[in-house]
Amino acid sequence: MTTLKDTTYEPLTTDTAIKLSKDLQLFNEDDLLFAHEIGDGNLNLVFRIQEELTGKSIIIKQALPYAKVVGTSWPLTLDRSRIESESLKRTYQLVPNYTPKVYYSDSELAVTVMDDLSHLTIVRKGLIEAVQYPKLAKDIGLFLAHTLFYNSDFGLNQQEKKIQSGRFINPELCKITEDLVFTDPFFDHDTNNIDEQLKPFVAETIWADQSLKLEVAQLKQTFLTKAETLLHGDLHTGSIFANDDETVVIDPEFAYYGPIGFDIGAFVANIILNYLSQDVHLADHPDKKAEFQKYLLTVITETWNVFEEEFTVLWNKHPQDAFMNTNGYLGQTLDQIFKDMIGFAGCKVIRRMIGLAGVEDVEAIIDLKVRNQVKQRALSLGKEIILNRKDISSIEHLVKVVTKYA
Ligand code: ADP
Ligand code: MG
Ligand code: MG
Ligand code: MG
């Protein structure tokens, strides 16, 4: 039997995934194991390994040397698997309740072996079906406050932060964000995916607007240069598992040191897109629609409020910098995070309407004309919050802007 250390990279099959689980002694030698590839993401393989009698199960995620969504013509570094497992381990130290435990990782094989979360649902799927998650906002607010604070110069020893940030240099995945979120959607670029009927609206509203482009250029520069904290980097609702009691965040392969507002903005953008899509999904159930959309708005407000409160608690409890006791410094910092967050949320909303990867919430709208109407509203909303982000004074104010577009 080859030892794991000798193994060179090869994509796993269900058989080799079972063998790996046994070699790692995560199951007994004579256990009867079944494996299925369950990945529905754009980039990686995900295997679920289950023991027949006890039902005990684990997940093995493996990076492919290319992007699954495009194929072998788009090579992509396997190093993202190392980044993902190191990020999960760091995050588990800070917020174990919100993080799958990693049992094994191997950067050569590009695998991460972790908790099976199949008892939970991917939040994007639940929200499309108008499922309310009572703890989602509080959990994500706390997740954001703890991870964003304790990995920053505000909450981590500043020498340690420099060393830690060196392990999360993630140029290839950052470039995906730089291109697909910040650049391509704002130009008539061939990676965009736009229906012909929608194109004139995009050309006029987005591509021809120089003031919008100036703001987005600033936001992109912030993403490129503001190495404040270790981000998740891809915190959309497809990266969150939840039920009534539990919330767990997966898939941090885009992790890198970037601006604190980025993850918050990504989450808020995805809630906004679900909100707009419910105008159609729940059109025949006006009462349910009103109730569910109201819930989504409380998710936005509560997530920010919990983040802000908890960040404040941590700031006062564990200051790493002498200036943190200076009157006004916390307020100034939160204010900047808030403005960055709104700008990033706007970019993420626009990118999902124009760019390479859409969101199921909106793409599931079958009637093309209706779908394009939702996309137009989303594009206008994204543009408004980017342009006005410096004048949006509170989370309630942001929510009020959002409601104008429903
Ligand atoms: P990708 O990076 O390719 O997007 P994800 O980590 O998002 O991969 O996983 C893709 C899918 O695989 C998830 O949407 C989920 O259905 C499943 N999956 C991933 N991790 C787990 C897990 N720990 N437990 C159960 N299912 C998982
Ligand atoms: Mg994913
Ligand atoms: Mg759990
Ligand atoms: Mg991913």
Side-chain angles (χ1 to χ4, degrees):
M1 191 181 73
T2 51
T3 66
L4 290 165
K5 282 221 163 15
D6 298 335
T7 321
T8 50
Y9 180 83
E10 219 177 295
L12 292 171
T13 62
T14 47
D15 286 343
T16 54
I18 287 174
K19 182 171 184 308
L20 176 63
S21 319
K22 288 205 170 167
D23 289 352
L24 292 172
Q25 302 187 326
L26 294 167
F27 296 93
N28 298 321
E29 194 51 46
D30 50 3
D31 275 356
L32 187 52
L33 299 183
F34 290 92
H36 298 280
E37 206 274 311
I38 59 165
D40 58 1
N42 293 333
L43 300 182
N44 304 290
L45 294 174
V46 179
F47 292 92
R48 180 166 191 253
I49 322 289
Q50 188 169 28
E51 205 278 310
E52 155 126 307
L53 293 176
T54 60
K56 181 188 160 169
S57 58
I58 54 153
I59 293 290
I60 303 181
K61 178 170 176 178
Q62 185 183 39
L64 290 165
Y66 53 86
K68 199 165 84 177
V69 64
V70 176
T72 50
S73 64
W74 184 0
L76 200 54
T77 177
L78 293 176
D79 191 47
R80 68 190 195 272
S81 174
R82 176 192 63 81
I83 300 254
E84 174 160 353
S85 57
E86 289 199 21
S87 164
L88 287 173
K89 288 177 203 167
R90 169 64 181 155
T91 308
Y92 192 83
Q93 291 175 340
L94 298 172
V95 281
N97 292 344
Y98 304 142
T99 313
K101 188 169 169 57
V102 171
Y103 296 101
Y104 176 78
S105 63
D106 182 327
S107 52
E108 192 80 20
L109 274 179
V111 297
T112 307
V113 181
M114 68 186 117
D115 278 335
D116 181 14
L117 303 165
S118 300
H119 63 293
L120 307 174
T121 311
I122 291 286
V123 166
R124 186 185 306 289
K125 291 187 183 147
L127 293 183
I128 291 171
E129 289 164 18
V131 174
Q132 296 189 22
Y133 295 100
K135 292 189 63 199
L136 178 68
K138 181 159 189 238
D139 286 345
I140 294 298
L142 291 174
F143 170 88
L144 290 165
H146 282 256
T147 58
L148 300 175
F149 179 80
Y150 279 119
N151 289 314
S152 77
D153 287 296
F154 302 123
L156 178 62
N157 174 284
Q158 294 174 350
Q159 295 311 109
E160 252 175 70
K161 181 252 189 177
K162 290 178 185 68
I163 293 163
Q164 171 165 291
S165 66
R167 303 207 321 267
F168 292 99
I169 296 173
N170 198 353
E172 283 192 39
L173 276 80
C174 284
K175 179 155 169 50
I176 294 179
T177 305
E178 287 148 21
D179 290 346
L180 297 187
V181 177
F182 290 105
T183 311
D184 301 357
F186 298 91
F187 298 87
D188 187 3
H189 196 279
D190 59 11
T191 61
N192 291 329
N193 182 9
I194 312 170
D195 178 60
E196 280 307 315
Q197 306 278 324
L198 187 64
K199 217 167 181 174
F201 181 88
V202 173
E204 192 186 332
T205 315
I206 307 292
W207 298 338
D209 191 325
Q210 298 305 309
S211 56
L212 176 66
K213 285 181 165 175
L214 261 186
E215 291 298 324
V216 175
Q218 267 186 34
L219 288 160
K220 180 178 177 182
Q221 183 64 12
T222 302
F223 181 84
L224 285 163
T225 59
K226 201 172 188 175
E228 278 185 309
T229 197
L230 180 60
L231 294 173
H232 177 281
D234 196 22
L235 192 60
H236 56 82
T237 46
S239 298
I240 305 172
F241 267 111
N243 65 11
D244 279 1
D245 313 305
E246 244 186 302
T247 309
V248 182
V249 175
I250 61 164
D251 197 10
E253 66 191 316
F254 283 77
Y256 91 110
Y257 260 81
I260 294 178
F262 188 77
D263 284 348
I264 318 172
F267 179 71
V268 167
N270 279 267
I271 301 298
I272 289 174
L273 290 175
N274 187 270
Y275 174 89
L276 297 179
S277 78
Q278 294 302 346
D279 277 343
V280 182
H281 299 315
L282 294 177
D284 296 336
H285 308 275
D287 291 347
K288 188 165 180 196
K289 183 179 110 177
E291 189 205 321
F292 190 67
Q293 286 186 319
K294 195 170 152 218
Y295 159 75
L296 291 170
L297 297 179
T298 66
V299 170
I300 297 175
T301 357
E302 195 186 344
T303 301
W304 173 263
N305 286 337
V306 169
F307 164 76
E308 189 178 52
E309 275 166 36
E310 188 72 5
F311 194 88
T312 300
V313 167
L314 300 176
W315 178 286
N316 291 324
K317 201 155 82 179
H318 289 296
Q320 291 286 340
D321 193 287
F323 283 103
M324 289 170 71
N325 294 317
T326 308
N327 263 344
Y329 189 28
L330 172 63
Q332 177 183 289
T333 301
L334 284 167
D335 199 49
Q336 188 59 51
I337 294 170
F338 186 68
K339 289 179 171 57
D340 288 351
M341 179 277 280
I342 294 174
F344 294 137
C347 292
K348 291 255 176 186
V349 164
I350 289 174
R351 156 283 158 102
R352 292 295 196 175
M353 299 301 97
I354 301 180
L356 183 68
V359 287
E360 184 62 21
D361 317 50
V362 176
E363 300 305 326
I365 298 170
I366 293 160
D367 186 323
L368 183 62
K369 207 169 140 225
V370 176
R371 193 197 311 152
N372 281 339
Q373 285 165 358
V374 171
K375 288 190 178 181
Q376 288 190 7
R377 286 202 288 274
L379 290 165
S380 302
L381 187 163
K383 173 173 161 166
E384 177 174 348
I385 64 177
I386 291 171
L387 286 173
N388 294 345
R389 70 187 196 282
K390 288 162 191 157
D391 301 317
I392 295 176
S393 54
S394 65
I395 195 69
E396 290 77 17
H397 186 170
L398 176 67
V399 159
K400 208 161 164 207
V401 175
V402 172
T403 57
K404 281 199 318 189
Y405 291 91

